[in-house]
Amino acid sequence: MALNFSQTQRISQKQLQKLGQMQIQALKYLSMNSLDLRKEIYDEVEKNPALEITDDSMEEWDYSSSAPSDELNEYTKLKTVSATSQDKANAFQEILENNPDNTETLSDHLMFQFNMLELSENRHRLGEKLIYNLDKNGFHILAPVSFLNFETDTEEDLKSVLSIIQNLEPCGCCCQNIEESLLIQARNNSGASQISLFILDGHLDFLDPPVSSKVLKKVKDFAKGECEKAFNTVDYSFIDEIDEEDIQDAISFIQTLNPHPAGEYSASDNSFVIPDVRVEKTSDGSFTVVSERGIIPEVKLSPEYTEMMNMNGISEQQKSNLEKPLQEAKAFIDSLIYREDSVFNAALAIVQAQKEFFEKGTGHLNTLRQKDVAELLGVHETTVSRMVNSKYLQCEWGLFPFKYFFVGGIVQNAAEVSENRTEISEKTQGSSEIENEDQSVNEKNSPAEISKDKIIFEIKQILDSQPPEAKKLSDQKLSDMLSERGIKVARRTIAKYRSQIGVKSSYDR
């Protein structure tokens, strides 16, 4: 059969929107945390003569100061003052007690291994950020995707770097939670059976309680239900051949894994957080949001540089050469102002939406999504993601990342969910008051939609109110008691939330 090929030309019109260099620069600075932005400012001032730093409250701060050497110097002073051996012994003992633990930190241990790998510059930069984003348990503090530079990085880069770090020693770090860590450890263990990997891969709740007969029944019931689905493509045939002995071996194997792989390493000595905004409660019950410059220096145009451009006798060529750095300096300052205003507006939206939290504290967060704030501020959802990335808020309840205030919820009655929206006040002289009225951007999240935070708070209250000698409440009983309080939550959801707050099942309690 003959094939006929032909070429044709078509003309079409398309409307494309491309980001300019200034917009790209502004979004880059918006996603930076305070430390990265501080370094960026100093780098820019160093290479651009049209910029100068006029105020830096942290200029005298020595980031590399070492407490142990200071204390040893103090011991030397004590040693020369005291002549008796008892005084010297007491001084030395005091230094030993006050001297911090110098055990190798997890970040140092991982970075030593990571630096030995041959990776591209982008992947190495991404990996370094991921490693310094780990908490004392070796789990993520901020979402890994928030470190992606969408101009140079891809999701494939992120997956690859995550996999590399997760398989470094200690295995199972750089994970989202304990379940993911255990699965990584099992995959790197030759003794892991197929049923062990199956349980760890999203079915850890089958081990509640860890009784082989009950676990076997849950596994077989799950496999049977999945196989009956028309769209199922997973082969569960291996489950037909397992018995209670296989399940017991799997339970014993899982118990050998380490839920806290970073436990033997000391906490990182360079992890500190500086708030970007501060929320204060006024005497009349309203809230004031104040921008905190923190360690971010103040930058202005250099007066000497602008005077140089206006000097008599300067040629047009010389003036043209001086014009480019001046324009770049203005664009840089505009980008910094845009970042400050955007972060401030995001904080205002958060305070308005989570007013109940700022009044009562933890356990009173309303449902709030980045999409809601994006619609309120009239920006794209990815811009909100940059606004809240690595930004922190200080209030009377403590220091919180912006992302803490974005929580999902459960719709109690979807028909009752309102579509109300409110507008946020404009920024005035670095601070703004949130009026003590019901102006929450989360009005749409009325009692018809209740947040995960409030459900967990109610679960804690119920469990804490039970006397020690009382019969332990099952997940179904908790679900029924929440329903009596007007909160309808499925038993499986109760089990998930209970597990997240570290409360064992009624069988184990």
Side-chain angles (χ1 to χ4, degrees), residues 121-172:
E121 183 179 349
N122 287 345
R123 292 194 174 188
H124 189 277
R125 172 189 51 76
L126 184 59
E128 186 175 6
K129 289 185 177 182
L130 291 172
I131 289 175
Y132 285 106
N133 180 53
L134 303 180
D135 62 16
K136 64 180 181 180
N137 296 315
F139 302 144
H140 305 303
I141 297 175
L142 300 174
V145 70
S146 63
F147 294 104
L148 277 179
N149 183 337
F150 293 101
E151 301 170 22
T152 57
D153 303 333
T154 65
E155 291 188 6
E156 187 60 34
D157 290 329
L158 180 61
K159 291 179 181 178
S160 176
V161 174
L162 278 173
S163 178
I164 290 172
I165 300 174
Q166 288 168 353
N167 289 282
L168 295 176
E169 175 64 32
C171 180

Side-chain angles (χ1 to χ4, degrees), residues 52-103:
E52 69 173 24
I53 294 176
T54 57
D55 182 31
D56 185 3
S57 58
M58 305 301 292
E59 189 173 7
E60 301 298 325
W61 191 17
D62 183 8
Y63 293 91
S64 59
S65 62
S66 174
S69 61
D70 294 339
E71 294 185 359
L72 289 175
N73 290 335
E74 186 65 24
Y75 169 61
T76 304
K77 296 176 184 177
L78 291 172
K79 185 176 180 180
T80 58
V81 172
S82 177
T84 66
S85 58
Q86 183 62 42
D87 288 342
K88 289 190 289 185
N90 291 339
F92 184 69
Q93 180 65 28
E94 182 179 355
I95 297 305
L96 289 179
E97 293 175 353
N98 293 331
N99 200 30
D101 181 15
N102 290 323
T103 306

Side-chain angles (χ1 to χ4, degrees), residues 340-353:
E340 184 178 358
D341 289 346
S342 298
V343 172
F344 183 86
N345 288 335
L348 278 180
I350 288 173
V351 175
Q352 287 181 330

Side-chain angles (χ1 to χ4, degrees), residues 14-82:
K14 291 183 180 180
Q15 188 173 10
L16 300 176
Q17 183 178 9
K18 293 186 178 181
L19 293 177
Q21 187 60 38
M22 288 181 59
Q23 292 174 306
I24 295 174
Q25 184 185 53
L27 293 176
K28 172 186 174 183
Y29 299 150
L30 180 60
S31 62
M32 285 183 173
N33 59 32
S34 298
L35 282 174
D36 289 341
L37 183 62
R38 176 186 175 85
K39 183 178 182 301
E40 187 73 21
I41 289 174
Y42 269 94
D43 290 345
E44 190 68 25
V45 170
E46 184 177 354
K47 67 182 181 182
N48 192 333
L51 288 170
E52 69 173 24
I53 294 176
T54 57
D55 182 31
D56 185 3
S57 58
M58 305 301 292
E59 189 173 7
E60 301 298 325
W61 191 17
D62 183 8
Y63 293 91
S64 59
S65 62
S66 174
S69 61
D70 294 339
E71 294 185 359
L72 289 175
N73 290 335
E74 186 65 24
Y75 169 61
T76 304
K77 296 176 184 177
L78 291 172
K79 185 176 180 180
T80 58
V81 172
S82 177

